[in-house]
Amino acid sequence: MMMDSTSRWDRKILCVGLCNIDIIQMCDTYPVEDSDQRCQSSRWQRGGNASNNCTVLANLGVRCELLASFSESNTFQFALADLRGRNIAFDHCVYHPDTEVPLSTVWLSLATGTRTIVHSNPNLPELTLEDFARIDLAEYGWIHFEGRRNTAEIVQMIRSIDRWNKLPETGCSRITVSVELEKPRSSNLDLLTDGIDYVFVGKDFARFLGHESAHAIARALKESHPGPYTLICPWGSSDTVALDGNGRWYEQRTYPPAVIRDSLGAGDTFVAGCIFKLYGGETSLEQALEFASQLAGEKLAHFGFDWPAKSTGEK
């Protein structure tokens, strides 16, 4: 895939968040409680929102890096091997001895294309500001944060980027900052702080706050947490809604395939698609939303993530 020759593309995209292992079983229908049945097929897959973002970006030809907490368990070597195989950097990840591997058990229903996830993460610590401070900000052009339990630490990470962006010597090397608010926890609201450029809001988080439409959550967040950031809210099979820093609204249709095969990671694909198109600074928000929506639609038609580089055109 052709890449821009501009200096911005010489800097990596960093995704900060979770890396876990997904154990996926494809079933004809969702399992009945207290039943014993066979699945059609099963697989292991490296998962986690930030981890999946990196997978999609790497498939699209972007130099990217994952920053996450890692278990030193032998089982976790599966995830490390997959990162190496996809040329995703993880040089600054933090290893923790005597911790269990974060696992997600995923049931994919072939009848409906839906996925049901049960997650386990008993003792792997979240990233700290000290962990983040070990990176060299000059290496990155975009840093994306997955909203997690370490909200206070993430806020401090964002503020450290904001201070760096305001240095006179930073100049045109300013870092774009985005955050994803997905998990239903009120502390995510603290991430709407100074220094952010893009906010991706998930449907589960919107409903947790009592909002039943993308328009409603976008309007509410902009009223309660005003700022120049652009807010993007994909709403499942319904249209995606965005509200930019100037108060302009955007609506983007979805592109569902004829057959939905695998919805696991479709939202992560959409987020990565937006970042990919917006990163160079030559694509409008409308164009980015269109590309990301088409990319997520294509992902729904395929199992896993090993398809985007073959099915998308040049950036």
Side-chain angles (χ1 to χ4, degrees), residues 57-71:
L57 289 168
N59 285 351
L60 291 168
V62 178
R63 291 178 63 238
C64 59
E65 180 177 341
L66 174 66
L67 180 60
S69 292
F70 282 175
S71 169

Side-chain angles (χ1 to χ4, degrees), residues 246-261:
N246 296 317
R248 181 182 175 187
W249 290 89
Y250 302 79
E251 290 192 18
Q252 173 59 51
R253 57 162 291 199
T254 58
Y255 292 93
V259 177
I260 296 177
R261 292 185 172 87

Side-chain angles (χ1 to χ4, degrees), residues 4 8-9 142 198 250 273-292 314-315:
D4 261 322
R8 186 165 176 80
W9 284 104
W142 188 304
Y198 294 93
Y250 302 79
C274 283
I275 293 173
F276 172 72
K277 275 297 183 180
L278 292 168
Y279 181 49
E282 298 176 356
T283 300
S284 69
L285 180 57
E286 284 180 311
Q287 292 170 320
L289 294 173
E290 173 77 13
F291 176 84
E314 295 181 3
K315 174 175 63 61

